[in-house]
Amino acid sequence: QVQLVESGGGLVQAGGSLRLTCVTSGSAIRGYAMAWFRQAPGKEREFVATIWGSGTAVYADSMKGRFTISRDDAKNTVILQGTSLKVEDTAIYYCARGRSAIGGSEAREYDYWGQGTQVTVSS
């Protein structure tokens, strides 16, 4: 059974930074795209970034420059780092595994999801 577990969320002050970790068990992430999405209260789930099996990273336009996604296949881990956080970054952040080595911005391209980790940015 494939399971993804996110951690690292919490309360952050505006202008601060975050580091979220996603650990996958039950399957190796090598060869799969891995992504981060987020969902703010009352809003639809939003794509943040994806990293392909090759290591190529793709970001939502609004996230470029502030978020960095990375992966460590040996540790079955994906990291999302964010800087210069804004109140609008408050959301539940979800990790997801792609159906193949290449993933895009659509949730349907990912077949396994974590339970999410809450990030709250205060002003």
Side-chain angles (χ1 to χ4, degrees):
Q1 183 179 2
V2 180
Q3 290 188 320
L4 286 70
V5 179
E6 304 95 335
S7 62
L11 181 63
V12 183
Q13 284 196 325
S17 60
L18 64 76
R19 177 183 169 90
L20 304 181
T21 300
C22 172
V23 178
T24 300
S25 62
S27 173
I29 66 170
R30 189 184 305 275
Y32 290 97
M34 300 295 295
W36 287 93
F37 287 75
R38 71 184 188 184
Q39 188 166 17
K43 295 187 177 181
E44 294 188 352
R45 193 165 296 191
E46 177 184 31
F47 169 73
V48 177
T50 186
I51 185 164
W52 297 352
S54 63
T56 298
V58 179
Y59 299 90
D61 287 343
S62 61
M63 312 296 174
K64 288 179 181 177
R66 294 196 303 121
F67 288 87
T68 301
I69 188 171
S70 60
R71 64 189 293 156
D72 184 340
D73 289 349
K75 296 181 179 179
N76 255 20
T77 297
V78 179
I79 302 291
L80 181 70
Q81 300 185 80
T83 60
S84 302
L85 294 178
K86 307 173 184 178
V87 173
E88 307 89 90
D89 293 319
T90 294
I92 299 175
Y93 284 72
Y94 297 90
C95 175
R97 195 197 77 170
R99 298 180 186 276
S100 70
I102 297 176
S105 61
E106 298 292 329
R108 59 180 170 79
E109 298 179 76
Y110 301 88
D111 53 2
Y112 291 99
W113 295 77
Q115 81 290 347
T117 186
Q118 175 72 50
V119 173
T120 302
V121 183
S122 63
S123 58

